[in-house]
Amino acid sequence: MRIYLLVVVVAAAVTFVATPLVRVLARRVNAVTPLRDRDVHAVPTPRMGGIAMFAGFAVALLIASRTDFLGDAFTISSQAWAILAAAGLICLLGAADDIWDLDWMTKLVGQILCAGLMVWQGVQLITVPLFDSIAILSPRMLLAITLLVVLVAINAVNFVDGLDGLAAGLIAIGGTAFFVYTYLLTRSTESDYSNLATLVIAAVVGACLGFLPHNFFRASIFMGDSGAMFLGLTVSAASIVVTGNIDPGASQQLTEFVGFPAFLPILLPVAVMVVPLIDLVFAVVRRVAAGKSPFAADGLHLHHRLMARGHSHRRTVVILYAWTTVFAFGAVALAFLPLRTVVIALTVVVVVGIVLTIVPLPVRRTRPRASSRHVRTAERPPAESPRPETRV
């Protein structure tokens, strides 16, 4: 556990220190998010913060590779190096979009190439956990599913990245729950507690924690596509490593002796990404139904709708944090508590959460100049822009 905590601290420290340097670089290369009708920020803000996040992630992994405890994760297979390389490439792709506003087709092709690199080096689903068994599919089917999982995760995080601190906080919370699960899963099935998925998600959580002080309301820098796509790829990679490589015998052992439900390996990644995934599904359905491209940006995301109901910027972020906490840690609770207890507790919490989400509490306004712009922007959704989705 101490080595994993070291990974978190190193990733957070490097990201925190590197972010001001990246902010200066972003201004020099004009990677600045302008004021658009659908945005909620009040001043042009530099983006490209994903470069700092990748720097923290990379340094943490490189240090881990030199330790006795985690060194085997880098020598037994090439998966760790493939994830690191793919994360670097997709961060560069996102940085290019932050600077030059690439079209959606170029970004999609780049995302497929980055995902393909990981698959080529073995980061691929081998089995698919079902509710009561482990499914073994054909190699082509598993390849297609793996690519789809990575692409969905990348674009889900990209779509939800629309408020200060939102995407980084959601991934930090969901990633912490995922870390708890993978660590306990490893301790329950292996004598060696080192695990690639746990290492990757620890570094991702650390990068998010190091970036949040610069990114929470009011943000001095945005993560941009370089950060959103980086987070989506790395979280999906960790999910694939732990979800799609479960031995059927180990799964049976967990179910019988430890209490882990057989369907938890496939439920938890969905629970971790529940807010971005819901936002992605609604956005795609909404835009396709209107005859538009799924990548055409608009001002009707979940955070826009919450602000339109009267929630402040900070409160909207906290509400979405809370929903991620409920579902991510609720899924992990299935490993420790009886199913009935978890379901009853989640039902109560969800009902209370729905009430607090739908009925906003009064907001005390002391300086309306910034908050009024936020509320006005959310209450009056603008016409959709033809530009592809970047920072929504």
Side-chain angles (χ1 to χ4, degrees), residues 376-392:
R376 184 171 61 251
T377 302
E379 290 176 346
R380 180 174 48 83
E384 294 195 0
S385 167
R387 184 188 177 279
E389 191 88 39
T390 53
R391 175 178 173 82
V392 189

Side-chain angles (χ1 to χ4, degrees), residues 8-33:
V8 173
V9 171
V10 169
V14 173
T15 302
F16 180 80
V17 172
T19 298
L21 303 178
V22 173
R23 182 168 59 239
V24 173
L25 174 63
R27 292 192 181 280
R28 289 187 177 181
V29 299
N30 199 33
V32 177
T33 302

Side-chain angles (χ1 to χ4, degrees), residues 86 89-90 93-94 102-117 147 150-151 154-155 229 233 295:
L89 288 176
I90 205 160
L93 174 66
L102 305 177
D103 63 272
W104 70 269
M105 181 60 72
T106 300
K107 289 196 293 182
L108 182 60
V109 171
Q111 293 169 6
I112 293 174
L113 291 176
C114 293
L117 172 62
L147 292 175
V150 177
L151 294 178
I154 289 171
N155 288 287
M229 294 199 294
L233 181 136
F295 296 94

